Amino acid sequence: MSELVRVAVDAMGGDNAPFVTVKGAVDAVSESANLKVFLVGQKEVVEKELSAYQYDKEKIEIVDATEVIEMAEPPVMAIRKKKDSSIVKAMYMVNHGEADAYVSAGSTGATLVGGQVIVGRLKGVDRAPLAPLIPTEKGSSLLIDCGANVDARSNHLVQFAKMGTVYMENIMGIKNPTVAIVNIGAEEEKGNALVKETFPLLKNCPDINFIGSIEARDIPAGFADVIVCEAFTGNVILKMYEGVAKSLMHVIKKSLMGSLKTKIGALLIKDDLKKSLSNYSMDQYGGAPMLGLKGLVVKTHGSANAVEVKNSILQCVTFTEQKINEKISAKISQEN
């Protein structure tokens, strides 16, 4: 058996914690033999929740943390003041080598700050982007950055492209993944100052498969494997993606339940429709990793369910076993 991958989970983070974080952890250790989870949070609360499940006691351990960083708290101040919070304690476990990875559905701001300040960046990495997988007609694409670096520069976007290439090659098994930059048109001369400055840098980068610009409407079709942008644009794309998916599900359900005829039709296509729509569920991919850090930091949705938490934990196993950090470090070292 391979060496255990140790994941520190912020048990108190998210809208539905600790129920979904505990259940996600239990489900994760049941699926993976090479996993140990540390549930970091208020001990009595986590113990009570955990008592409802049957699990291997050696695979889950509670780490007491008396404080909780709330969603609305200023992240820098919260990280500094709440040293005994579940987020800070879990981050320091990664920093001290007690855990290989960190997962949280809690404060995005505190996770981003903690990732940069507590876990720290790999040598040569200028910025650490959030990089979620998003569903497409062809499978999935990596959106990088979706929330960590609103004011990124051109050299940051080039590094994002390289880190995204490493991720898609090793996690998704895509050989020589295609890379595109988000733009308002396909022509090279279009775009804002950042895109115009970055485009030729990506074009002349020998170790990525750059195919040019991609418009937002072409992202769901899977025109590129790695989609590069700064965080403001990426976050708008991600939130729009989620909103359209939710609205589309509502419209489909309403149409299928509209009359006796459509209800009969719904029964006939129920299984096939469910299978097709499941391919567009964000839950299956887990959370968004912060690439380029010394340890793995994964941020999942605040409204995450137990399935998303489980998959966020399981993706840490693949990330660690595939030595993604080492490969990113080697790629950036070549550049430097």
Side-chain angles (χ1 to χ4, degrees):
M1 187 177 75
S2 302
E3 187 176 343
L4 285 178
V5 175
R6 303 158 301 166
V7 181
V9 176
D10 169 19
M12 311 308 294
D15 301 339
N16 306 304
F19 169 70
V20 297
T21 48
V22 170
K23 187 176 189 311
V26 171
D27 292 343
V29 298
S30 297
E31 285 194 23
S32 176
N34 301 331
L35 174 67
K36 178 167 183 176
V37 172
F38 296 96
L39 286 170
V40 187
Q42 295 169 339
K43 189 174 182 180
E44 290 184 4
V45 175
V46 178
E47 276 182 343
K48 182 179 179 182
E49 195 66 49
L50 198 53
S51 65
Y53 301 98
Q54 296 291 324
Y55 62 95
D56 184 344
K57 300 298 188 291
E58 293 184 359
K59 302 289 286 294
I60 295 180
E61 183 178 327
I62 298 172
V63 177
D64 190 29
T66 59
E67 298 175 301
V68 177
I69 294 178
E70 305 295 344
M71 293 288 194
E73 288 187 70
V76 176
M77 190 70 70
I79 290 289
R80 286 176 180 170
K81 286 191 170 183
K82 292 188 171 180
K83 299 295 185 185
D84 202 48
S85 65
S86 52
I87 288 178
V88 173
K89 268 203 160 181
M91 288 270 190
Y92 270 113
M93 290 183 70
V94 177
N95 175 278
H96 295 156
E98 298 165 0
D100 303 297
Y102 157 96
V103 171
S104 178
S107 168
T108 300
T111 294
L112 295 178
V113 172
Q116 301 274 6
V117 175
I118 299 174
V119 177
R121 296 190 301 272
L122 291 168
K123 185 178 180 181
V125 172
D126 296 319
R127 298 285 181 89
L130 268 178
L133 286 167
I134 55 175
T136 70
E137 288 181 28
K138 296 179 180 179
S140 61
S141 296
L142 191 73
L143 180 63
I144 183 169
D145 180 12
C146 82
N149 303 283
V150 174
D151 298 314
R153 298 195 294 270
S154 57
N155 60 301
H156 301 150
L157 297 190
V158 172
Q159 285 196 344
F160 295 172
K162 293 184 177 187
M163 289 190 277
T165 295
V166 170
Y167 190 90
M168 292 303 278
E169 283 178 339
N170 293 277
I171 296 297
M172 302 306 292
I174 299 174
K175 187 177 180 180
N176 199 25
T178 54
V179 177
I181 188 168
V182 177
N183 205 345
I184 57 171
E187 299 85 356
E188 184 173 346
E189 64 273 10
K190 285 192 173 181
N192 58 16
L194 177 62
V195 172
K196 288 179 180 178
E197 184 180 346
T198 307
F199 193 105
L201 298 178
L202 292 172
K203 188 177 180 180
N204 295 313
C205 196
D207 53 349
I208 63 168
N209 183 14
F210 183 59
I211 60 171
S213 296
I214 187 170
E215 296 181 80
R217 66 185 175 190
D218 294 325
I219 293 173
F223 278 26
D225 299 311
V226 179
I227 301 159
V228 177
C229 55
E230 38 69 40
F232 187 92
T233 300
N235 198 263
V236 170
I237 291 171
L238 183 65
K239 297 297 172 57
M240 186 69 176
Y241 227 88
E242 293 169 347
V244 169
K246 188 178 292 185
S247 295
L248 189 59
M249 289 291 292
H250 178 73
V251 170
I252 291 172
K253 186 176 181 180
K254 187 177 179 181
S255 297
L256 291 176
M257 295 294 105
S259 67
L260 178 60
K261 181 175 70 174
T262 57
K263 287 179 181 178
I264 294 171
L267 284 172
L268 294 175
I269 66 169
K270 180 182 175 183
D271 292 340
D272 290 334
L273 181 63
K274 187 176 181 181
K275 183 179 178 181
S276 296
L277 292 176
S278 68
N279 294 329
Y280 281 84
S281 171
M282 302 290 280
D283 299 347
Q284 64 181 311
Y285 300 116
M290 276 186 83
L291 300 181
L293 297 179
K294 293 176 182 176
L296 176 59
V297 169
V298 175
K299 174 65 181 73
T300 191
H301 295 94
S303 58
N305 57 29
V307 173
E308 189 170 345
V309 172
K310 178 197 73 174
N311 288 333
S312 295
I313 295 170
L314 291 176
Q315 79 182 101
C316 296
V317 177
T318 307
F319 189 101
T320 304
E321 290 180 344
Q322 290 295 322
K323 301 185 183 300
I324 300 300
N325 277 348
E326 290 89 335
K327 291 171 182 175
I328 287 175
S329 186
K331 191 105 170 167
I332 300 302
S333 295
Q334 289 174 0
E335 167 192 305
N336 293 335

